[in-house]
Amino acid sequence: MSGHAHAPEGGNKGVALLIAILALMLAFAEMGVKYGEREAVAHNLEASNLWSFFQAKTVRRTTVQVAAEQMETQLPLATDPTVKANMEKRIADWKATAERYESEPSTGEGRKELVARAKHAEERRDHERARNELFEIASALVQIGIVLASAMIITGIGALAWAAGGLGGVSLIVMLFAMLKPEVLHLVLH
């Protein structure tokens, strides 16, 4: 009888170790989920702020362009050479300002540069969202694996432990994709 009691205990120790490993993997997957969520939100806010800044630059650019165009229509009516020179200087200043609003490489705050920065932030946001989704899938697989391994202890059905281990292996692969190249697996899954 001691032989029968001893064998399941050794098997249960192996399954308990499997559950501990799966729990550790679950902790890492959940850390990945939280990191992905946080980073996706941060990059989304960055993109939103940059698009708002772009919109403000567009309004400012349009305003100075309209002012320059209006003054250009009034320029032929100016008879005083000093007034005409001041108007021409003002028109040139407004046009220069409009051009600076369009592109300002030195500060990265022209409309062209803001578009590029906003799109880059959106790409990083999408990357983190893909990473987050994969970590969520890995987390779910590990949780199912833990349930199956726990059921093996109760039922004694060895195939459940093998299935739990297999899910753990698949989860590990999904986590590796999440860390290294989330877009690849994300495209396959969607």
Side-chain angles (χ1 to χ4, degrees):
M1 200 173 230
S2 65
H4 291 290
H6 193 6
E9 185 180 318
N12 286 347
K13 283 183 182 180
V15 175
L17 180 59
L18 175 62
I19 291 171
I21 292 169
L22 291 173
L24 179 63
M25 290 174 61
L26 178 60
F28 284 123
E30 288 299 317
M31 283 175 31
V33 168
K34 294 297 179 198
Y35 176 81
E37 286 175 351
R38 185 179 65 244
E39 290 298 306
V41 167
H43 292 306
N44 192 49
L45 286 172
E46 179 185 4
S48 179
N49 288 341
L50 289 167
W51 284 119
S52 294
F53 195 16
F54 168 84
Q55 194 172 26
K57 284 280 184 166
T58 300
V59 169
R60 289 183 208 154
R61 184 173 188 268
T62 302
T63 301
V64 295
Q65 282 178 318
V66 168
E69 289 169 3
Q70 285 178 339
M71 192 167 282
E72 281 177 331
T73 62
Q74 296 170 359
L75 189 61
L77 303 175
T79 55
D80 183 348
T82 306
V83 172
K84 191 169 191 163
N86 287 339
M87 289 175 75
E88 287 171 344
K89 183 182 179 328
R90 174 55 62 196
I91 291 168
D93 288 347
W94 281 337
K95 285 184 176 183
T97 299
E99 284 306 310
R100 194 183 78 234
Y101 286 159
E102 183 61 26
S103 181
E104 195 171 5
S106 63
T107 63
E109 294 181 352
R111 290 176 67 244
K112 288 180 182 176
E113 293 81 15
L114 290 171
V115 166
R117 290 172 56 199
K119 286 183 179 182
H120 182 66
E122 288 175 340
E123 289 170 4
R124 291 186 313 204
R125 174 204 61 205
D126 294 343
H127 174 83
E128 293 302 332
R129 282 183 178 168
R131 172 178 284 170
N132 182 52
E133 285 182 24
L134 293 180
F135 273 117
E136 285 177 343
I137 290 168
S139 176
L141 291 172
V142 171
Q143 289 176 33
I144 294 168
I146 290 170
V147 170
L148 291 177
S150 300
M152 186 280 170
I153 292 174
I154 295 167
T155 65
I157 300 171
L160 293 175
W162 284 103
L167 286 173
V170 171
S171 176
L172 183 61
I173 291 168
V174 172
M175 282 193 277
L176 287 173
F177 270 103
M179 290 185 291
L180 302 175
K181 199 70 171 157
E183 295 81 13
V184 173
L185 195 55
H186 187 261
L187 289 174
V188 171
L189 295 172
H190 286 91

